[in-house]
């Protein structure tokens, strides 16, 4: 290993070390990412005594360098000599845990959590726990917020005296002066509760939870809602009513819409955590209120949860609750004044049909679907159309097809190309649901019309759509319905449309197979090689390259080769280039 | 001779900026702001520069020799730009600076011009790495074959270096000119206001902001008022106010709804019919609004007066102070020379007992709220000897002019004090004349 060429092997490492302080961020970043190589070359001893002290002081650097450093250090245990020396990694990570950039701090905390597991119980108390305490009582809120994420990893592995200290520190941070710290504590409350003994959950956590949930800042209160889910899961059912529900009820009616939004957003989790009885008695009315909230953001969040909430209702009373309590609210939301609310509802409402069954769907839901299909906002209509499969399973699509068709046609001709693009993307799905006959009769013309749309993105999507349709309906269908129309466009006076023919052929050849490609498509492509527009000609070369593998080899030699050779001598540079490329790819030279 | 705060007298401490009368446009100070401890003082100018002064910490034990502010860091915050889509020049002028509550050893501030807000980090560095493997310390490369061992750089002390680095750029959210920025007490968000809209930003997210107020009418011809200033409540994270060109202040509660189009309180003083004139609407336009430190009151500045409002009383201000009532007869000429559109700012002292605002002729005014006393002081080169006590000035509005009084007609309207700032705890004030920054402090007896 050592010896005469020892110097040579040192050179790349020397470069890496020097570049740790290069002026170019990219080079520094590169070196930091290869930190393990440096450490390996230095050996564990020098890594501990020289490299880590240097890194501890480099917190001046750019965020991306610090982020990479924080990540590297999480995997450094073996490089400093194994678990016995893992505590050497704490100083650099401690300084990274106090920088102002949240992503860096979070990564440092993540690495600290990781290496905490590699500490022996003794080292945890001697080295790790003091670090947590230092951070928790730091001058700046950055270090105190970082401490919040570390309590739960050391708590289970320390003595009961230290446990008491940790609980005390957490309590202190929950009532910190800085809202940033209270937010960090609130967001870790659930996680911390999970590692605590049940008695302490009841005595400590509940009081902290109650305090945070009535904090003066709504940005803190809303985080308590999240903790509510974890805490409710930990407590026995009989304690929920007294310990958790008063706070949850209060949150669902909070003065601040952001807190109510959070309740709506976490509703499914809350529902699972509190169980069926409380759901029936408390959550159903709460959910009704959220669906009728005065703030549109809250209604939209609640509307998003309608299906999940209904699905998770206790089976014995599910239908009754939906029919008498939920459905009336849903009906109102269909004609909400806010389009985000309507579109959130439209994205889930179809899912109710599987829960309610055929008769209820036809009687109660179908009118709502139809109303939404006629909504003035395209997003609402699109959301309904994109979820057709749920209804299809329950009542069959025929019930809807009368209203569906005008809605699709209208979207297909919408003035906004993004709307047209969205409906094209649902075409293969619709074709599957509606069947080939209905498709041929009503939708085929739309699909062909998109090929000559004036927006390229639409023409491109239409091409791709044809390919998916052929995959669904088969080559024979393609030969009868699509291919003639596509090939017809080769004579179009507009060169953009002629190019669309080529793009379609590129997309369809594989799905259509050798026979159709060689006999029908190839002649058209070859004929277009004499097009007066150079763009068409070089696309001919590109098409030939693309479909070459599909056509049979004799045609390749006798028909394709001469054409490509001719194009390779074209006056246009691009045509020449692509012809030559095709020749070499198809190995025709 | 009694000044605000009993027998307090103000004396000259320092003046910053060039002495010559020939003022370069770029050097005109456009904003002044102390940080939360008062240790740092930032100014912004029309040239897009931010200059930060730091209070020297020596002489802490000798209060009569209170330490001076010296330049700590200077950096170019904004550059002139051109909006090619709208064919508009975007000035580099710094409209506002706001300090963030301190979060670690570094300091952070937001600075804004008409369109773009930037978050700056000001940090100190006192160590530098030493030791290369492949070159000598002076930069000469070593022979690669001479490397027989690896060397890890070590950090050695060096002279203190202050660096300002841009951390975030919040752009493309304002169609009109930004007039205010204000950091929320949740320490996570801030607002930015332009003529017609107010946006809410997260300090860490630059690619989106939420519109919380939009007063743009569907038809711009129906436009009757614009937003002139906006500020968050110092303690309640859900409350903010914005003032309008019509002299009203709206207080909004962000808890009520996502878009705060409906205010929860509207502060408006009924117009005095006897004072009604062609200029009534122009002079009632509010140029600045500031919450008191305790959060109970807010102060507004219009062209002729300063008003203090109790947040619990919307019908009229609890206190009104005339800043330069003698100008009421001069409004016509002030309209002609555009001075009537000057935007004077105002500020509170540390314990909310005194307020300060600027006037013309390099005069500035202080009003003692408890003792109902006021004083006019002047920032000028003539009384800029160390620890020289400022003499109160008097303007004579018509009639006989007494000794030491200045006639209204001899006021210089080109010398105006628009921007002033009060140290958050101590009696130290920073007053910006056109291109000079004066620092005064109370005379400790």
């Amino acid at each position: 290993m050592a010896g005469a060429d020892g110097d040579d092997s040192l050179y790349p490492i020397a470069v890496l070390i020097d570049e740790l302080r290069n002026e170019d961020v990219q080079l520094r970043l590169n070196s930091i990412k290869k930190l393990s190589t440096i450490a390996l070359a230095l050996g564990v001893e020098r890594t501990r005594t020289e490299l880590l002290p240097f890194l501890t002081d480099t917190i001046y650097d750019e965020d991306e360098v610090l982020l990479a450093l924080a990540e590297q250090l999480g995997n450094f245990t073996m490089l400093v000599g194994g678990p016995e020396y893992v505590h050497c990694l704490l100083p650099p990570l401690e300084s990274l845990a106090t920088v102002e950039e949240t992503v860096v701090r979070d990564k440092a905390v993540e690495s600290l959590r990781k290496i905490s597991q590699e500490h022996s119980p003794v080292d945890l108390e001697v080295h790790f726990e003091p670090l947590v305490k230092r951070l928790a009582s730091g001058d700046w809120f950055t270090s105190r917020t970082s401490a919040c994420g570390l309590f739960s990893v050391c708590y289970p592995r320390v003595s009961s005296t230290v446990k008491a200290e940790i609980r005390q520190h957490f309590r202190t941070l929950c009532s910190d002066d800085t809202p940033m710290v209270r937010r960090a504590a609130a967001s870790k409350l659930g996680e911390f509760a999970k590692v605590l003994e049940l008695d302490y959950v009841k005595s400590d956590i509940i009081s902290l939870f109650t305090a945070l949930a009535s904090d003066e800042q709504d940005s803190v209160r809303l985080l308590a809602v999240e903790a509510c889910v974890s805490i409710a899961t930990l407590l026995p059912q009989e304690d929920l009513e007294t310990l958790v529900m008063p706070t949850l009820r209060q949150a669902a009616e909070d003065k601040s819409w952001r807190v109510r939004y959070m309740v709506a957003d976490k509703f499914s989790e809350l529902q699972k955590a509190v169980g069926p009885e409380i759901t029936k008695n408390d959550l159903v009315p709460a959910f009704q209120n959220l669906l009728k909230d005065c703030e549109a953001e809250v209604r939209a969040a609640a509307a998003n949860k309608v299906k999940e909430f209904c699905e998770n209702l206790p089976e014995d009373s599910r239908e009754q609750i939906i029919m008498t309590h939920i459905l009336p609210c849903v009906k109102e939301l269909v004609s909400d004044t806010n389009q985000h609310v309507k579109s959130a509802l439209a994205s889930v409402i179809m899912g109710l049909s599987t829960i309610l069954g055929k008769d209820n769907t036809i009687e109660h839901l179908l009118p709502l679907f139809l109303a939404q299909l006629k909504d003035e906002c395209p997003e609402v209509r699109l959301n309904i159309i994109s979820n057709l499969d749920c209804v299809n399973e329950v009542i069959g699509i025929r019930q809807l097809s009368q209203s569906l068709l005008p809605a699709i046609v209208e979207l297909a001709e919408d003035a906004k190309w993004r709307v047209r693009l969205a409906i094209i993307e649902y075409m293969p799905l619709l074709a599957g649901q509606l069947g080939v006959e209905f498709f041929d009769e009503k939708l085929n013309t739309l699909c062909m019309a998109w090929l000559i749309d004036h927006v390229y993105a639409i023409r491109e999507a239409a091409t791709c759509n044809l390919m998916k349709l052929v995959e669904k309906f088969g080559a024979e269908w393609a030969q009868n319905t699509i291919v003639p129309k596509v090939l017809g466009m080769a004579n179009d006076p507009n060169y953009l449309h002629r190019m669309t023919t080529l793009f379609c052929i590129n997309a369809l050849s594989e799905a259509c197979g050798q026979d159709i490609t060689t006999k029908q498509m190839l002649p058209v492509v070859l004929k277009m090689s004499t097009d007066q527009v150079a763009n068409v000609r070089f696309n001919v070369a590109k098409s030939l390259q693309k479909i070459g593998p599909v056509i049979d080899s004799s045609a390749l030699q006798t028909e394709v080769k001469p054409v490509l050779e001719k194009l390779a001598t074209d006056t246009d540079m691009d045509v020449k280039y692509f012809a030559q490329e095709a020749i070499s790819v198809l190995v025709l030279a | 001779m009694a000044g605000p705060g009993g027998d307090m007298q103000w004396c000259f401490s320092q003046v910053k900026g060039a002495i010559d009368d020939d003022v370069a446009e770029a050097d005109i100070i456009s904003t002044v702001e102390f940080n939360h401890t008062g240790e740092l003082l930032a100014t912004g100018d029309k040239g897009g520069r931010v200059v930060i002064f730091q209070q020297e910490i020596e002489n802490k034990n000798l209060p009569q020799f209170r330490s001076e502010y010296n330049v700590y860091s200077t950096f170019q915050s904004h550059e002139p730009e051109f909006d090619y889509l709208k064919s508009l020049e975007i000035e580099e002028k710094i409209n506002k600076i706001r300090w963030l509550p301190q979060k670690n050893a570094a300091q952070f501030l937001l600075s804004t011009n008409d369109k773009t807000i930037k978050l700056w980090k000001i940090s100190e560095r006192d160590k530098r790495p030493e030791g290369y493997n492949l070159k000598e310390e002076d930069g000469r490369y070593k022979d690669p074959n001479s490397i027989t061992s690896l060397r890890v750089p070590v950090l050695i002390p060096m002279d203190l270096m202050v660096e300002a680095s841009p951390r975030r750029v919040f752009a493309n959210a304002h169609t009109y000119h930004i007039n205010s920025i204000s950091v929320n007490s949740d320490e996570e968000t801030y607002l930015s206001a332009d003529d017609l809209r107010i946006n809410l930003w997260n300090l860490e997210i630059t690619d989106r902001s939420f519109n919380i107020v939009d007063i743009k009418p569907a038809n711009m011809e129906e436009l009757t008022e614009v937003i002139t200033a906006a500020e968050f409540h110092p303690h309640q994270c859900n409350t903010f106010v914005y003032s309008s060109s019509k002299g009203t202040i709206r207080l909004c509660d962000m808890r009520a709804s996502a878009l705060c189009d409906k205010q929860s309180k509207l502060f408006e003083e009924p117009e005095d019919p006897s004072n009604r004139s062609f200029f009534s609407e122009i002079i009632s336009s509010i140029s600045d609004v500031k919450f008191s430190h305790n959060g109970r009151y807010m102060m507004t500045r219009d062209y002729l007066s300063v008003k203090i409002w109790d947040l619990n009383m919307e019908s009229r201000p609890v206190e009104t102070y005339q800043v330069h009532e003698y100008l009421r007869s001069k409004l016509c000429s002030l309209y002609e020379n555009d001075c009537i559109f000057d935007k004077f700012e105002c500020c509170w002292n540390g314990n909310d007992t005194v307020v300060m605002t600027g006037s013309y002729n390099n005069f500035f005014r202080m009003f003692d709220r408890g003792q109902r006393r006021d004083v006019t002081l002047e920032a000028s080169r003539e009384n800029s000897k160390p620890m020289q006590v400022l003499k109160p000035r008097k303007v004579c509005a018509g009639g006989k002019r007494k000794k030491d009084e200045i006639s209204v007609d001899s006021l210089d309207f080109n010398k105006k004090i628009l921007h002033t700032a009060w140290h958050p705890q101590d009696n130290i004030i920073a007053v910006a004349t056109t291109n000079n920054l004066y620092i005064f402090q109370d005379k400790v007896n």
Side-chain angles (χ1 to χ4, degrees):
Chain A
M1 221 175 90
D5 60 349
D7 296 355
D8 288 350
S9 66
L10 284 182
Y11 182 75
I13 308 291
V15 172
L16 279 180
I17 294 179
D18 283 1
E19 284 181 352
L20 280 175
R21 42 180 293 210
N22 196 292
E23 277 178 24
D24 184 343
V25 183
Q26 214 46 49
L27 291 176
R28 290 205 300 276
L29 189 58
N30 191 36
S31 265
I32 287 284
K33 286 187 172 155
K34 296 201 176 104
L35 211 52
S36 53
T37 313
I38 297 175
L40 215 52
L42 288 172
V44 293
E45 177 78 34
R46 291 191 68 194
T47 299
R48 291 198 299 264
T49 55
E50 293 176 45
L51 185 60
L52 289 179
F54 172 71
L55 295 174
T56 305
D57 282 327
T58 46
I59 53 163
Y60 298 117
D61 216 322
E62 303 280 335
D63 307 334
E64 46 189 328
V65 177
L66 298 181
L67 183 67
L69 177 59
E71 186 169 4
Q72 291 287 315
L73 292 175
N75 304 315
F76 239 58
T77 309
M78 290 324 287
L79 296 165
V80 293
E84 199 183 331
Y85 294 99
V86 66
H87 59 84
C88 298
L89 296 172
L90 298 180
L93 283 170
E94 181 176 354
S95 60
L96 287 169
T98 62
V99 300
E100 69 278 1
E101 212 53 56
T102 314
V103 279
V104 177
R105 276 200 320 267
D106 288 352
K107 189 55 87 180
V109 169
E110 194 184 313
S111 288
L112 280 170
R113 288 168 69 114
K114 205 163 166 185
I115 64 167
S116 74
Q117 305 303 327
E118 281 150 1
H119 281 71
S120 67
V122 176
D123 280 348
L124 203 67
E125 286 198 24
V126 176
H127 298 287
F128 197 87
E129 207 269 339
L131 162 125
V132 178
K133 274 192 215 160
R134 272 198 306 282
L135 287 174
S137 47
D139 282 342
W140 309 116
F141 82 77
T142 44
S143 77
R144 301 200 298 277
T145 50
S146 291
C148 293
L150 296 173
F151 295 122
S152 64
V153 290
C154 29
Y155 190 84
R157 299 180 58 210
V158 291
S159 67
S160 56
T161 355
V162 180
K163 278 185 175 177
E165 283 172 27
I166 291 180
R167 287 196 305 273
Q168 181 52 44
H169 276 293
F170 194 81
R171 259 199 300 278
T172 314
L173 293 182
C174 282
S175 53
D176 196 278
D177 284 342
T178 321
M180 303 297 271
V181 178
R182 297 203 302 279
R183 275 199 291 278
S187 68
K188 300 291 178 199
L189 185 65
E191 175 190 294
F192 189 53
K194 280 185 192 152
V195 298
L196 245 58
E197 297 79 359
L198 187 59
D199 284 346
Y200 289 121
V201 172
K202 288 189 197 173
S203 60
D204 283 29
I205 295 289
I206 294 296
S207 66
L208 295 176
F209 168 61
T210 317
L212 290 168
S214 41
D215 194 278
E216 55 169 13
Q217 297 235 343
D218 55 357
S219 58
V220 178
R221 294 204 299 278
L222 64 87
L223 289 169
V225 175
E226 231 174 321
C228 185
V229 176
S230 327
I231 294 172
T233 330
L234 295 172
L235 293 174
Q237 189 72 29
E238 63 268 23
D239 289 329
L240 285 178
E241 182 55 44
T242 49
L243 298 180
V244 175
M245 285 318 288
T247 310
L248 180 56
R249 273 184 215 117
Q250 176 194 319
E253 290 169 6
D254 197 282
K255 206 178 167 196
S256 167
W257 69 270
R258 293 206 291 167
V259 178
R260 301 196 304 273
Y261 173 92
M262 202 63 174
V263 174
D265 197 47
K266 299 274 166 228
F267 217 84
S268 306
E269 288 93 329
L270 289 167
Q271 185 186 5
K272 280 181 200 137
V274 299
E277 275 312 305
I278 294 179
T279 297
K280 267 194 265 182
N281 301 332
D282 273 278
L283 293 195
V284 171
F287 193 61
Q288 282 176 292
N289 287 338
L290 292 170
L291 288 173
K292 292 184 211 154
D293 199 278
C294 57
E295 171 58 44
E297 300 277 349
V298 178
R299 293 200 301 278
N304 257 321
K305 301 287 166 190
V306 164
K307 181 194 159 202
E308 235 178 307
F309 179 73
C310 293
E311 242 170 15
N312 295 328
L313 284 170
E315 224 166 301
D316 53 349
S317 50
R318 186 191 292 156
E319 191 174 322
Q320 180 258 330
I321 292 176
I322 297 177
M323 296 307 291
T324 52
H325 299 291
I326 306 298
L327 206 56
C329 302
V330 168
K331 276 182 188 159
E332 276 174 45
L333 289 184
V334 167
S335 48
D336 199 278
T337 48
N338 186 295
Q339 69 175 53
H340 297 294
V341 176
K342 287 189 289 189
S343 104
L345 182 69
S347 66
V348 298
I349 191 174
M350 310 290 269
L352 290 180
S353 45
T354 28
I355 304 171
L356 287 177
K358 188 171 177 181
D359 295 336
N360 280 329
T361 301
I362 293 177
E363 192 183 337
H364 299 284
L365 292 178
L366 197 56
L368 302 181
F369 300 158
L370 297 178
Q372 293 215 296
L373 271 178
K374 295 194 185 91
D375 198 277
E376 60 190 4
C377 164
E379 206 183 321
V380 175
R381 284 175 269 152
L382 277 172
N383 281 347
I384 289 288
I385 290 173
S386 63
N387 286 302
L388 277 178
D389 43 342
C390 320
V391 191
N392 198 11
E393 287 163 23
V394 182
I395 58 169
I397 209 147
R398 291 284 159 186
Q399 296 271 7
L400 270 176
S401 55
Q402 283 301 317
S403 313
L404 204 49
L405 199 63
I408 294 172
V409 173
E410 206 178 315
L411 288 168
E413 289 162 357
D414 196 284
K416 293 196 186 72
W417 67 268
R418 284 179 199 280
V419 175
R420 300 201 295 277
L421 186 65
I423 188 73
I424 293 176
E425 275 160 11
Y426 294 126
M427 270 299 151
L429 175 82
L430 281 170
Q433 304 283 330
L434 294 164
V436 67
E437 281 157 45
F438 187 91
F439 185 86
D440 279 348
E441 198 179 317
K442 316 274 188 191
L443 299 179
N444 199 9
T445 36
L446 285 178
C447 291
M448 300 316 289
W450 283 320
L451 288 175
I452 51 168
D453 196 284
H454 59 273
V455 176
Y456 175 76
I458 298 295
R459 298 198 297 274
E460 191 189 27
T463 313
C464 179
N465 172 45
L466 286 187
M467 181 181 75
K468 288 185 186 149
L469 289 174
V470 173
E471 279 167 5
K472 202 156 236 139
F473 292 150
E476 197 186 326
W477 173 82
Q479 195 175 5
N480 294 331
T481 49
I482 293 189
V483 174
K485 288 185 191 167
V486 166
L487 297 182
M489 280 164 58
N491 301 317
D492 197 289
N494 185 334
Y495 85 98
L496 291 172
H497 297 170
R498 297 203 293 279
M499 290 213 307
T500 306
T501 299
L502 292 172
F503 298 148
C504 287
I505 288 172
N506 294 348
L508 295 176
S509 63
E510 210 166 316
C512 287
Q514 196 187 48
D515 199 43
I516 298 176
T517 307
T518 315
K519 291 201 178 123
Q520 298 189 14
M521 295 177 176
L522 184 60
V524 175
V525 179
L526 295 174
K527 194 168 149 242
M528 290 168 84
S529 69
T530 56
D531 199 289
Q532 58 191 4
V533 180
N535 292 38
V536 177
R537 294 200 302 278
F538 79 64
N539 272 296
V540 166
K542 283 165 99 175
S543 284
L544 288 173
Q545 179 184 334
K546 173 92 185 138
I547 66 172
V550 186
I551 51 187
D552 70 65
S553 51
S554 66
L556 207 56
Q557 288 298 332
T558 56
E559 297 177 56
V560 175
K561 192 178 172 184
V563 168
L564 280 176
E565 278 168 351
K566 184 161 163 271
L567 288 174
T569 61
D570 199 281
T571 49
D572 187 275
M573 219 170 65
D574 294 325
V575 179
K576 261 193 237 175
Y577 173 82
F578 286 109
Q580 275 156 4
E581 193 183 68
I583 290 171
S584 77
V585 171
L586 296 173
V587 207
L588 293 172
Chain B
M1 181 170 48
D7 289 312
M8 193 171 72
Q9 292 182 327
W10 289 90
C11 24
F12 172 84
S13 170
Q14 285 174 278
V15 57
K16 309 283 182 187
I19 299 170
D20 49 342
D21 284 338
D22 197 16
V23 179
E25 177 81 4
D27 293 334
I28 296 175
I29 296 172
S30 53
T31 183
V32 183
E33 189 79 11
F34 279 102
N35 77 339
H36 298 273
T37 59
E39 188 206 347
L40 299 174
L41 171 64
T43 64
D45 65 26
K46 281 202 167 175
R49 283 163 304 193
V50 171
V51 182
I52 297 168
F53 301 94
Q54 185 188 38
Q55 196 174 25
E56 297 298 323
I57 32 178
E58 53 209 333
N59 290 335
K60 260 274 152 82
N61 307 326
L62 300 165
Q64 65 269 38
F65 298 112
R66 219 164 358 195
S67 40
E68 299 195 325
Y69 283 84
N70 291 323
V71 174
Y72 180 61
S73 173
T74 304
F75 58 93
Q76 189 74 35
S77 170
H78 287 71
E79 301 274 359
E81 285 175 85
F82 191 79
D83 181 339
Y84 295 94
L85 290 177
K86 297 191 182 117
S87 277
L88 275 181
E89 275 182 59
I90 302 168
E91 275 186 284
E92 65 273 33
K93 178 189 155 212
I94 308 294
N95 290 345
K96 280 286 179 321
I97 290 175
R98 286 290 176 268
W99 291 91
L100 266 55
Q102 200 168 359
K103 53 176 101 178
N104 59 13
Q107 297 277 353
F108 292 81
L109 63 79
L110 289 168
S111 64
T112 186
N113 67 352
D114 286 341
K115 297 287 174 189
T116 306
I117 304 149
K118 293 184 182 178
L119 174 66
W120 290 89
K121 174 184 178 180
I122 295 101
S123 55
E124 295 183 352
R125 178 183 291 210
D126 58 0
K127 283 182 195 154
R128 65 181 176 83
E130 192 186 65
Y132 282 106
N133 284 296
L134 300 176
K135 53 184 176 181
E136 306 292 346
E137 220 32 54
D138 56 17
R140 276 181 301 123
Y141 279 89
K142 290 183 195 169
D143 174 11
N145 294 321
S146 71
I147 300 165
T148 51
S149 66
L150 293 171
R151 186 174 169 198
V152 178
V154 287
L155 287 149
I156 57 163
M158 63 164 187
D159 288 343
L160 183 70
M161 201 167 86
V162 181
E163 293 176 314
S165 48
R167 304 299 291 191
R168 303 267 192 281
V169 176
F170 306 90
N172 304 324
H174 285 279
T175 313
Y176 304 95
H177 291 179
I178 298 174
N179 53 45
S180 312
I181 43 178
S182 174
V183 181
N184 192 333
S185 60
D186 69 8
E187 298 182 17
E188 168 172 72
T189 55
Y190 74 91
L191 66 73
S192 58
D194 67 23
D195 297 338
L196 296 177
R197 298 193 180 99
I198 301 177
N199 292 330
L200 181 69
W201 301 82
N202 186 305
L203 281 162
E204 302 208 338
I205 301 169
T206 57
D207 62 355
R208 86 190 93 118
S209 68
F210 297 96
N211 182 239
I212 50 175
V213 172
D214 187 348
I215 63 163
K216 185 173 185 276
N219 178 2
M220 278 298 265
E221 279 164 21
E222 289 161 16
L223 186 70
T224 56
E225 65 177 325
V226 295
I227 298 169
T228 53
E231 193 180 44
F232 266 121
H233 189 278
H235 316 303
Q236 295 166 11
C237 68
N238 50 282
T239 309
F240 69 94
V241 294
Y242 66 93
S243 60
S244 92
S245 55
K246 277 190 163 172
T248 58
I249 309 107
R250 289 179 174 83
L251 182 138
C252 300
D253 184 348
M254 296 200 296
R255 292 174 302 185
S257 67
L259 188 64
C260 300
D261 272 350
K262 283 198 206 84
Q263 73 277 357
S264 45
K265 287 184 181 182
L266 176 69
F267 298 86
E268 189 171 22
E269 187 175 32
E271 197 185 21
D272 178 1
S274 64
N275 269 336
R276 171 109 204 117
S277 76
F278 171 73
F279 301 107
S280 296
E281 192 163 326
I282 301 177
I283 62 169
S284 66
S285 174
I286 292 173
S287 52
D288 196 16
V289 56
K290 293 268 168 63
F291 278 107
S292 62
H293 295 87
N294 63 21
R296 168 84 189 268
Y297 302 99
M298 62 181 170
M299 159 169 56
T300 58
R301 171 71 210 260
D302 54 42
Y303 192 60
L304 293 180
S305 65
V306 167
K307 290 171 184 161
I308 313 281
W309 304 76
D310 187 325
L311 291 192
N312 300 318
M313 186 163 78
E314 297 164 61
S315 55
R316 59 189 160 82
V318 286
E319 294 155 38
T320 301
Y321 301 104
Q322 301 305 333
V323 178
H324 36 217
E325 185 63 18
Y326 44 79
L327 294 182
R328 197 175 279 281
S329 57
K330 299 259 166 236
L331 290 176
C332 206
S333 51
L334 290 164
Y335 180 75
E336 273 157 21
N337 64 12
D338 272 352
C339 281
I340 203 168
F341 301 106
D342 282 335
K343 295 190 86 180
F344 290 98
E345 292 172 7
C346 50
C347 62
W348 299 83
N349 74 339
N351 55 12
D352 299 334
T353 53
V354 185
V355 297
M356 170 170 62
T357 190
S359 176
Y360 292 103
N361 207 47
N362 279 352
F363 287 172
F364 58 98
R365 303 266 286 145
M366 284 188 194
F367 303 97
D368 188 312
R369 301 178 56 212
Q371 312 196 19
R372 296 270 160 182
R373 276 194 282 204
D374 65 88
V375 66
T376 304
L377 298 170
E378 182 182 6
S380 86
R381 289 273 174 190
E382 276 128 51
N383 38 34
S384 57
K385 286 186 208 70
M387 301 310 283
Q388 183 180 350
V389 175
L390 297 189
K391 253 196 327 194
R393 309 304 302 256
K394 272 217 160 62
V395 177
C396 151
K400 274 189 293 211
R401 191 163 67 91
K402 292 187 216 118
K403 189 173 167 276
D404 284 348
E405 285 193 350
I406 305 125
S407 145
V408 179
D409 296 316
S410 57
L411 292 176
D412 184 345
F413 290 105
N414 288 320
K415 291 183 174 170
K416 43 191 125 186
I417 292 178
L418 301 176
H419 315 283
T420 60
W422 203 307
H423 188 289
Q425 287 95 35
D426 299 339
N427 280 325
I428 298 175
I429 54 171
V431 173
T433 61
T434 313
N435 65 332
N436 287 129
L437 181 72
Y438 286 83
I439 296 168
F440 303 106
Q441 57 185 54
D442 61 336
K443 183 177 182 183
V444 181
N445 296 316

